[in-house]
Amino acid sequence: MVYNHHCRPDAPTRRLARQGVDALRRHFGTTADVAARAPGRLEVLGAHTDYNEGFVTAIAIERATVVVAARRPDRLVRAWSPWGDWRDYLAGVCAELAAEGCVPGGADVAIVGDVPVGGGVSSSAALEVACAVALSSLAGCTLGPERLALLCQRAENEYVGMRCGILDQFTSVFGRPERVMWLDCRTREHRLVPMAGMSARFVVCDTNRPRELVGSAYNERRAQCERAAQVLGVRALREIDSATLRARAGELDATLLRRARHVVSENERVQAGVAALERGDAVVLGELINASHLSLRDDYQVSCPELEAMRAAALDAPGCLGARLVGAGFGGCVMALVEEECVGEFVPQVESSYRQATGLEPSIFATGAADGAGIVATD
Ligand code: GLA
């Protein structure tokens, strides 16, 4: 099967696709053969659980990367993008496609999009997945959605050096409108949970504080989790529950205990969150989101002053049911769950409080759950 999920393009996607087609013509003088779109993601609950073989819940967001490509007769891949820092991702995807026996051949590529870059909403997975969908489609090869997500993860692990789990790429591929994806990162069993009757929206609040040392601090957290699992004699922390961890706390040093406590409690919050979603209970979901943040701040220690200032501003604003940092942490975005009718007031109030507290200009937007990656018509 060629990976050929076709997106119903909304207005921003159509605009991005046109921009990509123009860029291809302007920079390389070539005509587009294919365009692919892949969204960023928000993990609703389940931060830093994926590489512990645990559970996550996430949505694909209404912001995406669009890759437009034209076939070349040789083996050269040329690419243009308005951002820096994307070469390793594209090179990694090309190499991983080739390793899967899907040789993309030559292509001219334009990369455009509106996912905040480096903001914790996974602009990197959006880029990898959009490249992989476009290039595998050009090559006409047979890749199912799960293989596609896994090869993009390997591109990031091996070419970029970020030992990320599967959350981002999986959500970018499998996300669906008005659904929260629940994923077991060990078995990769997944389910799309309807956001039934929830009159609340997710609001992404970007601190615009560039994330620093995120790769090294992230890899360090991952190594600490692996050590904690080893000391406890399990393959991954996913096998430990809160009661067991409390009983065996003395076996871990203070840092490893903190890291394990976050992962174990976060896995339990994911499962409670799914039950809340199924009941349409936004209040309980908001409480779980708050508890997740406190655990990330105090036990996992991946927050920073700007994230705290943004979260305080969000919690003070009308209609906020809960707020937490998203993605790896160390900067980037806070996600707030906000009562639908309050979103209009919420956004300007958070903007002004955050600006006052930090002197930084935030970027804030509301999003629903969007469709996962797919091919977009270019005409
Ligand atoms: C980054 C990684 C993911 C995941 C999150 C934290 O986004 O790429 O694999 O670990 O951080 O949940």
Side-chain angles (χ1 to χ4, degrees):
M1 180 191 87
V2 176
Y3 183 77
N4 69 349
H5 181 63
H6 284 252
C7 302
R8 262 170 294 143
D10 53 7
T13 304
R14 279 199 300 273
R15 185 175 41 77
L16 288 171
R18 268 199 307 275
Q19 218 176 298
V21 168
D22 289 348
L24 212 57
R25 191 173 307 122
R26 238 190 0 267
H27 294 280
F28 302 120
T30 42
T31 307
D33 288 308
V34 68
R37 165 195 163 281
R41 63 94 192 91
L42 279 179
E43 88 266 17
V44 176
L45 287 165
H48 293 276
T49 51
D50 59 352
Y51 52 81
N52 290 294
E53 302 186 7
F55 307 109
V56 296
T57 43
I59 60 165
I61 60 173
E62 291 162 0
R63 300 275 185 113
T65 297
V66 170
V67 167
V68 179
R71 207 173 273 108
R72 290 175 58 88
D74 51 22
R75 300 288 306 274
L76 188 66
V77 175
R78 300 190 296 181
W80 174 88
S81 167
W83 318 302
D85 243 14
W86 45 268
R87 284 179 186 79
D88 288 349
Y89 296 97
L90 176 59
V93 166
C94 287
E96 290 301 331
L97 280 172
E100 291 269 331
C102 172
V103 180
D108 289 330
V109 176
I111 304 165
V112 292
D114 58 6
V115 184
V117 174
V121 290
S122 213
S123 53
S124 54
L127 171 57
E128 292 148 11
V129 173
C131 287
V133 172
L135 295 177
S136 62
S137 160
L138 267 193
C141 34
T142 53
L143 288 178
E146 189 167 328
R147 247 172 101 194
L148 188 82
L150 289 170
L151 86 81
C152 290
Q153 180 198 17
R154 283 198 303 278
E156 182 145 351
N157 291 164
E158 276 152 40
Y159 286 79
V160 184
M162 170 95 168
R163 294 188 62 214
C164 65
I166 190 61
L167 161 70
D168 306 344
Q169 294 81 4
F170 218 88
T171 313
S172 187
V173 172
F174 285 94
R176 289 294 176 268
E178 286 159 51
R179 299 283 189 276
V180 174
M181 183 197 70
W182 170 87
L183 170 68
D184 178 335
C185 300
R186 170 172 280 178
T187 62
R188 292 197 286 277
E189 177 196 347
H190 61 282
R191 214 147 55 78
L192 292 165
V193 184
M195 295 171 67
M198 266 201 13
S199 53
R201 297 265 286 161
F202 294 107
V203 182
V204 180
C205 310
D206 191 346
T207 60
N208 281 330
R209 176 198 191 261
R211 296 185 302 168
E212 281 160 24
L213 298 175
V214 57
S216 55
Y218 181 92
N219 290 347
E220 180 194 59
R221 293 297 181 287
R222 182 167 177 161
Q224 289 166 336
C225 289
E226 286 164 358
R227 269 210 307 287
Q230 203 178 22
V231 173
L232 295 170
V234 290
R235 184 174 110 183
L237 286 176
R238 122 73 164 274
E239 286 162 44
I240 303 287
D241 61 19
S242 290
T244 309
L245 186 63
R246 267 196 305 277
R248 299 184 59 187
E251 297 172 39
L252 297 170
D253 72 28
T255 302
L256 294 194
L257 178 59
R258 278 183 148 161
R259 305 299 185 248
R261 201 160 51 204
H262 166 70
V263 172
V264 167
S265 63
E266 186 76 353
N267 272 329
E268 293 171 353
R269 280 186 288 274
V270 170
Q271 304 302 61
V274 170
L277 275 165
E278 279 167 344
R279 293 194 306 272
D281 191 339
V283 171
V284 168
L285 187 62
E287 287 164 0
L288 292 164
I289 286 171
N290 280 333
S292 169
H293 180 85
L294 298 183
S295 174
L296 286 163
R297 185 191 68 188
D298 300 335
D299 278 340
Y300 222 60
Q301 298 179 300
V302 293
S303 191
C304 66
E306 292 81 359
L307 284 168
E308 292 306 312
M310 184 66 91
R311 179 165 182 268
L315 290 178
D316 257 5
C320 185
L321 298 165
R324 56 180 288 267
L325 69 86
V326 283
F330 315 104
C333 297
V334 162
M335 172 199 83
L337 184 67
V338 181
E339 288 174 48
E340 192 139 29
E341 67 274 16
C342 296
V343 170
E345 271 178 84
F346 175 91
V347 173
Q349 181 164 327
V350 176
E351 277 168 355
S352 116
S353 322
Y354 178 75
R355 199 181 292 128
Q356 236 163 42
T358 61
L360 291 170
E361 194 54 45
S363 317
I364 302 184
F365 62 92
T367 182
D371 203 6
I375 303 286
V376 183
T378 47
D379 37 71

